[in-house]
Amino acid sequence: MNTILEVKDLSMDFGGLRALDHLDLNVVEGEIAAIIGPNGAGKTTFFNCITGIYNPTEGEILISPPGKKRKKINGLKPNRVTKKGMARTFQNIRLFSNMTVLENVMIGRHCRTSSGIVGAILRGRSTIKEEKDVVDFSYNILKKTGISHLVNEFAKNLPYGAQRRLEIARAMATEPFLLLLDEPAAGMNPRETRELDELITRLRDEDNVSILMIEHDMKLVMSLSDRIFVMDYGRKIAQGTPSDIINNPVVIKAYLGEDIDA
Amino acid sequence: MIKAQEIKKSFLVSLWFMFLTFPIMVIRVNPIEKFVEWRWKNMLVVGIGSFLLSFVWRYMLKKKEAGEKRAETGESGKTFLIQRILEERRFYIPLVTGLTIIAVAFPFIFSMYQTSIMTTALMYIVLGLGLNIVVGLAGLLDLGYVAFYAVGAYSYALLNYHFGLGFWSVLPIGAVLGFIFGVLLGFPVLRLQGDYLAIVTLGFGEIIRLVLENWNEFSFGPSGIANIDRPGFFGIQFSLQTASIYLYFLMIGLVIFTIIVVNRLQNSRIGRAWIALREDETACQAMGIDKTRTKLRAFALGATWAGMVGVIFAAKTTFINPASFTFLESAMILSIVVLGGMGSILGVIIGALILILLPEYLRAFSDYRMLLFGAIMVIMMVFRPQGIIANIRRTYKFNE
């Protein structure tokens, strides 16, 4: 198994506050990994660091996309990171609300296409072809994520569950090797969560994408993930398979507090 | 029950208005004959007027809220109508043919004065469409747009004065200079957003104007540059009348060219990136769009159009000085974009026609025309903040 994401000794300070404290983490090809932890443990900060939104204070972030060389991505801008093949979704949905569903996904194709201003004005053969490819590709992703009936709706008019799906679809349009999902099931009802479970598994199996997700829904985490990382106060306090984690006293302590008898 | 409440509300409104207008509408001091005139009749008029108008106001607000609710549930009536007219050929073709006939016949039917006003309106359409790229599509609030307009105008005036270059050779130069200045301004403001960006661009606009005003050796200061050549046509010199008709058709051509370009851009890879940038900068960047380049492109392209229109402006008026490029001008162009509907081509065109032609034709009520003008703007923004024509995104059809 190849490691595709390797995070070594990552720290992030906000002024005097240490949000991430010497964190080590890795993701191997084809797995679904989950990060769990109480609120404020630094999970989203971790995502922001590895996607280039924050520049980490210390440590190294290395990626090795399948078939390519290992590369350090510290300090790269978010758009460069996405182009390298790591795409993310956001905890508080950040869609382009006044664009249609299809256009939202088409934005994801931006970094894989190249036509510029002159091409757009002259609308030559290559631009028309590229545009058509983008539309077809995006529509296929919408079909795969099960929201193709909403193509021409404005993103802001979508029901909540569909918005979450659209975020995933948009990230998938960038053809990532690693998909980072920030609380994909937040606010979903049990049925929507089940459908999400199925969608994520299908993306992994059919599109050869590995998944790293932050999630609070334990049922989803336990059923989906191959490995789980547990964070608390910016540190990784445990890692392992779901069954390891569920019985780990350190994890139980972090979630439920100190045991009275101990 | 509700009726009684409504009446009470309107009554309070009319009381408030009577109180507010009391000093100016009621009291009149006559200093010559040394007595104070109390015009209670005016107070009555204000009271009754505001009482009735407040009903209309509330009715309109209710209608607007109902419209918003309908839009949320996805069944909007009005926007649909416009979309249908634009899409269906049987509406679209007669409309375009009609407009073409009017546009071609206009200078031959109406006087030179009317043609000249219309040419000005067409210039503002192009300026509006150019600023629409920056403000409407990319969401970058630019309050110094007139600076690029000045760059274009002065490049023609100076090149014509010193080297005798003609209109047609300077038009592309003006566009290129506009582009370059757009990039120059773009660089320092790339990291700014919203209000901060607005203030920096405002400052930039003022800098350009002040430089033109004070650097006498370069720009001849406030006295400006006169006797700029009108656009030529293969060396033929026109009479004043033919020249204005020629300029009119030149502007029609430029408007059509601009519409085609902007229309193609907004449904292209670059155009979508602009809109995404407007909607959510963080998400846009996280989806792989280079924020810096996208912003620069918007700025530079918007400025290109301002540069071009600047050249035409100099050629039309044959005299320019810094007074033509004040902040008011930027505000006017911005109003065109906002009133018309951000990001909507048709909206900007209608907005420009209203804002430029209305004050001209309101000259009949010259005392009140700026008052009416202001009232229309306020009313529009209260009842239709999305502009006359809201932006419509392209829809795609799939047969599967």
Side-chain angles (χ1 to χ4, degrees):
Chain A
M1 275 295 177
N2 299 328
T3 309
I4 50 171
L5 172 71
E6 225 178 323
V7 178
K8 287 185 197 162
D9 208 27
L10 190 74
S11 295
M12 178 76 206
D13 293 340
F14 292 111
L17 180 82
R18 176 145 282 202
L20 292 178
D21 195 2
H22 300 288
L23 199 78
D24 292 300
L25 190 149
N26 58 67
V27 180
V28 295
E29 197 178 341
E31 80 170 337
I32 297 178
I35 303 177
I36 61 170
N39 286 328
K43 305 182 295 289
T44 298
T45 306
F46 173 71
F47 262 31
N48 285 343
C49 280
I50 60 175
T51 53
I53 291 177
Y54 297 152
N55 197 359
T57 321
E58 267 177 65
E60 277 193 319
I61 305 156
L62 300 151
I63 55 165
S64 15
K68 280 183 199 151
K69 268 196 208 143
R70 200 160 81 137
K71 223 171 200 163
K72 196 172 140 178
I73 58 163
N74 285 42
L76 280 188
K77 286 226 177 99
N79 51 303
R80 306 283 308 153
V81 173
T82 307
K83 194 163 185 187
K84 293 236 178 299
M86 290 211 305
R88 69 171 293 178
T89 66
F90 292 90
Q91 183 179 358
N92 44 344
I93 301 175
R94 301 189 84 140
L95 290 169
F96 307 120
S97 23
N98 287 312
M99 297 175 86
T100 65
V101 168
L102 187 73
E103 282 176 325
N104 265 276
V105 182
M106 284 162 88
I107 287 292
R109 295 303 295 159
H110 188 95
C111 62
R112 303 282 172 236
T113 45
S114 63
S115 69
I117 290 179
V118 179
I121 294 172
L122 299 179
R123 206 173 268 182
R125 198 171 290 164
S126 65
T127 314
I128 293 174
K129 188 180 176 303
E130 188 185 272
E131 192 73 7
K132 192 181 173 299
D133 290 345
V134 167
V135 172
D136 291 344
F137 192 100
S138 308
Y139 186 65
N140 273 330
I141 289 181
L142 285 176
K143 271 204 291 197
K144 203 170 277 172
T145 41
I147 44 175
S148 60
H149 56 291
L150 299 165
V151 247
N152 290 322
E153 286 301 324
F154 273 127
K156 63 179 174 191
N157 294 338
L158 255 51
Y160 190 79
Q163 289 197 1
R164 285 259 174 232
R165 277 166 180 268
L166 180 54
E167 273 229 323
I168 296 176
R170 187 178 65 176
M172 283 304 292
T174 65
E175 290 179 84
F177 66 88
L178 177 64
L179 184 61
L180 306 163
L181 304 174
D182 197 346
E183 297 200 24
M188 283 188 167
N189 64 34
R191 210 191 90 216
E192 284 171 329
T193 310
R194 267 202 311 282
E195 285 167 0
L196 182 74
D197 184 324
E198 187 230 354
L199 172 67
I200 293 175
T201 322
R202 211 172 54 217
L203 288 179
R204 194 254 315 251
D205 296 342
E206 291 173 12
D207 292 273
N208 303 319
V209 59
S210 315
I211 285 150
L212 178 63
M213 63 171 180
I214 295 172
E215 187 48 67
H216 279 300
D217 187 321
M218 281 306 149
K219 216 175 124 200
L220 183 73
V221 170
M222 291 302 161
S223 81
L224 260 182
S225 24
D226 302 310
R227 278 194 307 154
I228 297 174
F229 302 94
V230 189
M231 282 177 69
D232 197 15
Y233 295 111
R235 278 190 299 269
K236 185 177 75 182
I237 56 170
Q239 83 174 71
T241 61
S243 54
D244 292 342
I245 295 298
I246 214 160
N247 298 316
N248 190 327
V250 185
V251 178
I252 294 168
K253 201 175 98 184
Y255 266 91
L256 301 175
E258 207 77 46
D259 199 336
I260 300 165
D261 293 354
Chain B
M1 202 58 211
I2 301 158
K3 212 66 190 163
Q5 226 175 10
E6 299 256 289
I7 289 168
K8 194 180 146 204
K9 255 193 213 162
S10 292
F11 182 68
L12 287 174
V13 168
S14 73
L15 266 185
W16 178 237
F17 268 84
M18 282 193 279
F19 172 71
L20 280 181
T21 55
F22 182 77
I24 45 168
M25 296 298 285
V26 180
I27 307 171
R28 177 151 72 188
V29 180
N30 192 330
I32 299 163
E33 282 155 44
K34 291 191 178 156
F35 76 96
V36 179
E37 193 186 342
W38 301 88
R39 295 171 298 172
W40 297 110
K41 221 171 90 187
N42 281 351
M43 190 174 185
L44 196 72
V45 172
V46 168
I48 294 173
S50 52
F51 185 78
L52 294 176
L53 277 179
S54 76
F55 277 104
V56 179
W57 183 268
R58 268 203 305 274
Y59 170 73
M60 298 271 282
L61 270 183
K62 241 179 229 159
K63 229 177 116 181
K64 178 193 156 206
E65 270 161 26
E68 272 167 11
K69 242 174 229 154
R70 248 184 299 138
E72 262 170 42
T73 48
E75 36 169 320
S76 45
K78 256 186 193 162
T79 44
F80 237 30
L81 186 75
I82 295 159
Q83 204 168 1
R84 249 191 14 227
I85 290 173
L86 286 180
E87 270 173 8
E88 274 190 38
R89 291 180 78 85
R90 79 194 147 102
F91 294 120
Y92 180 73
I93 289 179
L95 198 75
V96 170
T97 345
L99 279 178
T100 316
I101 291 168
I102 294 172
V104 171
F106 191 88
F108 302 108
I109 297 170
F110 294 99
S111 65
M112 206 178 106
Y113 166 69
Q114 302 282 1
T115 313
S116 170
I117 294 173
M118 196 44 100
T119 311
T120 309
L122 291 172
M123 280 166 51
Y124 278 92
I125 290 179
V126 177
L127 284 173
L129 288 172
L131 186 63
N132 183 38
I133 295 175
V134 187
V135 179
L137 294 180
L140 306 164
L141 185 51
D142 183 353
L143 295 181
Y145 191 62
V146 77
F148 307 119
Y149 185 40
V151 165
Y154 267 89
S155 58
Y156 178 46
L158 289 172
L159 287 172
N160 184 259
Y161 180 84
H162 291 297
F163 308 107
L165 286 182
F167 172 80
W168 288 105
S169 44
V170 182
L171 191 62
I173 297 177
V176 169
L177 280 174
F179 183 90
I180 292 170
F181 272 79
V183 174
L184 281 182
L185 169 65
F187 264 115
V189 303
L190 283 173
R191 29 185 73 245
L192 303 173
Q193 280 179 29
D195 318 355
Y196 307 103
L197 177 77
I199 288 171
V200 172
T201 51
L202 176 68
F204 181 78
E206 286 301 286
I207 288 172
I208 295 271
R209 190 178 61 81
L210 286 171
V211 166
L212 291 175
E213 207 148 279
N214 293 297
W215 192 0
N216 286 331
E217 299 78 38
F218 173 71
S219 67
F220 303 99
S223 53
I225 303 167
N227 292 326
I228 305 165
D229 287 344
R230 288 205 165 76
F233 185 73
F234 300 110
I236 304 167
Q237 284 297 315
F238 290 126
S239 68
L240 194 59
Q241 172 126 28
T242 349
S244 74
I245 294 176
Y246 178 49
L247 209 61
Y248 169 82
F249 281 110
L250 199 148
M251 272 320 297
I252 292 270
L254 188 64
V255 167
I256 293 171
F257 174 66
T258 313
I259 292 173
I260 293 172
V261 168
V262 175
N263 188 37
R264 288 189 166 188
L265 275 174
Q266 70 179 1
N267 283 315
S268 72
R269 173 172 173 268
I270 306 296
R272 282 191 301 269
W274 283 334
I275 299 170
L277 191 76
R278 176 189 77 192
E279 294 292 313
D280 190 326
E281 219 174 281
T282 312
C284 171
Q285 217 183 354
M287 286 305 120
I289 290 172
D290 189 335
K291 200 168 79 176
T292 319
R293 280 180 66 179
T294 309
K295 274 190 186 176
L296 262 185
R297 275 174 172 160
F299 250 108
L301 214 63
T304 307
W305 255 264
M308 266 200 289
V309 184
V311 173
I312 295 173
F313 173 73
K316 176 175 184 281
T317 54
T318 68
F319 166 74
I320 53 165
N321 73 349
S324 310
F325 308 104
T326 54
F327 170 66
L328 197 69
E329 209 68 15
S330 289
M332 193 65 163
I333 305 167
L334 187 67
S335 308
I336 288 173
V337 177
V338 176
L339 188 85
M342 296 233 250
S344 151
I345 294 176
L346 189 61
V348 170
I349 294 172
I350 295 174
L353 290 178
I354 290 178
L355 285 191
I356 304 303
L357 296 183
L358 200 65
E360 290 297 334
Y361 291 119
L362 281 178
R363 273 186 205 282
F365 322 85
S366 52
D367 287 348
Y368 300 103
R369 80 184 165 121
M370 285 328 265
L371 190 72
L372 268 174
F373 183 75
I376 289 171
M377 298 262 284
V378 171
I379 289 171
M380 269 304 293
M381 285 302 104
V382 170
F383 293 112
R384 221 179 142 72
Q386 72 272 45
I388 297 170
I389 292 177
N391 186 17
I392 302 160
R393 294 306 305 162
R394 184 176 163 186
T395 54
Y396 294 83
K397 285 193 183 74
F398 297 92
N399 11 311
E400 273 171 274

